[in-house]
Each structure stands twice: as structure tokens, then as C-alpha cells.
Amino acid sequence: MEDGQPVPGSLFVYAPNQGAPIFFAFAFAASACFKIIGLHPFCAVLFSAGYALREYAAFNYLYSKQNLIVYILSQVFIFVCPPLLELANYHVLGRIFYYVPYFPPLPPGKVLSTFGGLMAVVEALNAIGVALSSNPSATQASQELGSHLTIAALAIQFAIILSCGILAGIFHWRCGRAEIHSKVISTPLNTLYVSLALILIRCIYRFVEHMGNTAVDLDDFESLKTLSPILRYEWYFYIFEATLMLINSVLLNIWNPGRYLPRNYHVYLERDGVTEVEGEAKLDKRPLWAKIACLLTFGLLFRENKDGGSYWELKSLTRR
């Protein structure tokens, strides 16, 4: 079929490419093998599953109940991963702040709880919005609601990315003024900037997509021809979604921040920019259920009592 020409009855609007999903499914699966645990490999597995389902859908793209379920699952798996990758970036930013605790514009312990709570909202809006907007059998009102929810999620995501970048930039500038140029800081920060930029470009692409005409009526061929070009041309998806997220995955495999930052967040850099010091860790007396609840709520609830002061303020230190 002519590129961009709608195909009557196609869940994708067009006749999807049958080779590209195989490549991306295997590429993300290979990326997941570089690290066993963490958000990055988890997202790589979800991406791989999403493209595997898209491969099935590429051969079964005409509307049916079974094909519709596979199509929606593929869309959801692919769409929910970038916000999770953002969450991983915010965790990295918090760890960087812990390593040089004198200059963060936001307390290290509040980075993940602040951005994590916001990303939970984004994920909820994303999941519901994509499920509604990608269902061509739904009513136009439902599709529009899904599109509006997705736009709201993308707008919040856009603001969060910019905020994170600004916080990282202020911190980086303060470190530079203090003549702290350690690669333990600069390499993860530079990797963070590139990752945020890739996700931001992808976010803009999705935002523009949903700002256009996205109401799909499979029975009206003429209305399909008036849809946003981003929906009618598949190459937009493979460049601004699939390729950008694969580059992000490769980037984080090569320059994984975990290879530079100490595993123990109580280890931090002295003001001389050279000496590493390990602060005294306070005994966490919370019960197991409170620790789990704190983790699941990104530190918003059941936080550890910090009355004893920050670890870098304590006198019991170990030089490294």
C-alpha cells in the first residue's frame, strides 16, 4: 500500500511493517540481558513484549476482538515504559545528590518521593488514556477522553523532565563553582542529560500526535484520510518512539550510572572533591511492612525518622 494511505479495517490505520517489530523486540531483549534487576531491564522486557505483540499484530491487523486485544496490549506496553525510564533517571539524580550532599537544590531524599509520586499519576493517566484512545471500536467520546488523558499525562511528563533537568543543571553548576570535577559526578550527569533529552523528544512527538485528529472510525475511509499524518505514517513511530527509546537503552547500558556511583548512599564526597567518606548509617527501626509501604509510595509515606541529623553531618566517619 502507498505510504500513509489508510487501509480499511486496519487497527493501525495503515498496513504495518512486518520486519521492524522483530528487530526491536530482539534489540530490547538483548538490552535487558545486560542487567538482571532494576527499572531499565524491566522496561526493556516490556518493550520487547510490546514489539513482539506488534509483530503478531502486523500479520493480523484487521479488526477482530482477538486482534484488538493484542493491539491494545502492544500499545500499552510500549507507551508506559518511557515514564518508568524517567523514574529511573530521577533515582539516579537522587543518588548523585547523595554523593555530593552540599549543593543539591532539593534534598536528596525528596527527589524520588517528589518525582515518583508525580510519575505515578502520569502512569495512571497513560495506561487509561492509551487503552481508550487506541481502541478504534470505542465511541468517539471515549477516544477523545483517552486522548485528553494522554495529553494531560504528556504535559505533566514534559514539565517534570524540564524540572529535573533544571535541578541537575543547578547542581552541576554549583559543583563547577566549587571546583568539583569528578567523573563519578560528571559521567552520570551527562548520561542523565542525554537520556532526559531523548525522552523529552519522544514526549513532544506523542504530544503533537494527540493534538491532531486522532478519532479513528474504521468504517469511514474518508475520515481516516483526514487523521493526523503522525497516525497515518508508520515511520514517525519507528523514529521518534522505537529508535529513540532503543538509543536510550543502549546509552544506559554503556554508561550505566551504577558503575560510577557507590552502591552505599552513605558514601559521599568531601568538599575537597577528591576524598570519599562513609558516614555513619542510622539503624532503621521501622517494621518490614513500613519499609515496603515506603518503597511502594516512593517515600511519600512511612518515612524513616531523620531526627539524628544527616549522615554527612555526623562525626563518626570512615575515610576511603
Side-chain angles (χ1 to χ4, degrees), residues 123-313:
E123 279 296 286
L125 293 174
N126 256 333
I128 299 171
V130 173
L132 291 175
S133 64
S134 63
N135 185 357
S137 66
T139 64
Q140 184 173 352
S142 294
Q143 289 186 38
E144 288 180 354
L145 174 61
S147 184
H148 292 157
L149 290 174
T150 304
I151 289 173
L154 290 168
I156 298 171
Q157 198 176 342
F158 186 85
I160 296 172
I161 293 173
L162 290 180
S163 300
C164 180
I166 291 172
L167 291 176
I170 293 172
F171 172 80
H172 208 166
W173 175 72
R174 289 176 177 176
C175 287
R177 271 205 323 177
E179 299 296 326
I180 296 178
H181 304 290
S182 171
K183 286 187 177 181
V184 179
I185 302 169
S186 61
T187 301
L189 275 176
N190 291 331
T191 303
L192 179 71
Y193 294 143
V194 176
S195 178
L196 287 175
L198 291 171
I199 297 174
L200 180 62
I201 295 171
R202 178 262 177 198
C203 185
I204 293 172
Y205 150 68
R206 286 296 190 179
F207 189 82
V208 173
E209 175 189 37
H210 284 275
M211 288 300 291
N213 180 16
T214 59
V216 177
D217 184 352
L218 296 180
D219 298 324
D220 189 344
F221 182 73
E222 292 302 317
S223 71
L224 293 177
K225 292 165 67 174
T226 65
L227 289 172
S228 166
I230 296 179
L231 281 180
R232 291 187 289 109
Y233 290 86
E234 190 176 25
W235 64 266
Y236 282 108
F237 168 80
Y238 279 114
I239 290 177
F240 293 106
E241 176 71 56
T243 301
L244 288 183
M245 292 302 96
L246 181 58
I247 292 173
N248 185 73
S249 187
V250 172
L251 170 79
L252 293 169
N253 278 328
I254 297 175
W255 290 283
N256 192 313
R259 297 175 184 170
Y260 300 90
L261 295 166
R263 290 182 179 273
N264 183 357
Y265 72 90
H266 291 103
V267 175
Y268 66 98
L269 201 63
E270 275 280 30
R271 292 182 182 271
D272 61 10
V274 177
T275 309
E276 282 190 345
V277 177
E278 183 173 353
E280 180 183 10
K282 285 183 58 182
L283 181 63
D284 189 349
K285 298 180 180 180
R286 292 176 299 170
L288 179 60
W289 66 266
K291 295 178 183 178
I292 296 174
C294 181
L295 180 65
L296 294 177
T297 58
F298 307 105
L300 290 172
L301 302 175
F302 306 104
R303 293 183 183 180
E304 184 182 359
N305 191 343
K306 300 290 186 180
D307 290 343
S310 302
Y311 60 87
W312 62 85
E313 297 170 344

Side-chain angles (χ1 to χ4, degrees), residues 20-34:
I22 297 177
F23 167 77
F24 284 102
F26 277 104
F28 280 111
S31 176
C33 294
F34 280 87

Side-chain angles (χ1 to χ4, degrees), residues 12 21 25 46-60 67 69-78:
F12 292 89
L46 284 183
F47 272 131
S48 185
Y51 286 105
L53 291 172
R54 189 180 178 93
E55 175 62 17
Y56 172 88
F59 288 91
N60 303 273
N67 293 347
I69 292 172
V70 173
Y71 170 75
I72 291 177
L73 287 176
S74 171
Q75 294 291 88
V76 170
F77 284 165
I78 292 171

Side-chain angles (χ1 to χ4, degrees), residues 21-101:
I22 297 177
F23 167 77
F24 284 102
F26 277 104
F28 280 111
S31 176
C33 294
F34 280 87
K35 195 176 180 183
I36 305 301
I37 59 173
L39 276 177
H40 293 137
F42 175 70
C43 288
V45 170
L46 284 183
F47 272 131
S48 185
Y51 286 105
L53 291 172
R54 189 180 178 93
E55 175 62 17
Y56 172 88
F59 288 91
N60 303 273
Y61 56 82
L62 295 180
Y63 177 81
S64 73
K65 288 186 177 180
Q66 179 177 325
N67 293 347
L68 177 62
I69 292 172
V70 173
Y71 170 75
I72 291 177
L73 287 176
S74 171
Q75 294 291 88
V76 170
F77 284 165
I78 292 171
F79 209 100
V80 299
C81 285
L84 292 177
L85 292 172
E86 277 185 65
L87 183 60
N89 282 337
Y90 305 143
H91 173 68
V92 169
L93 182 63
R95 289 302 307 275
I96 295 172
F97 284 1
Y98 271 118
Y99 189 64
V100 188

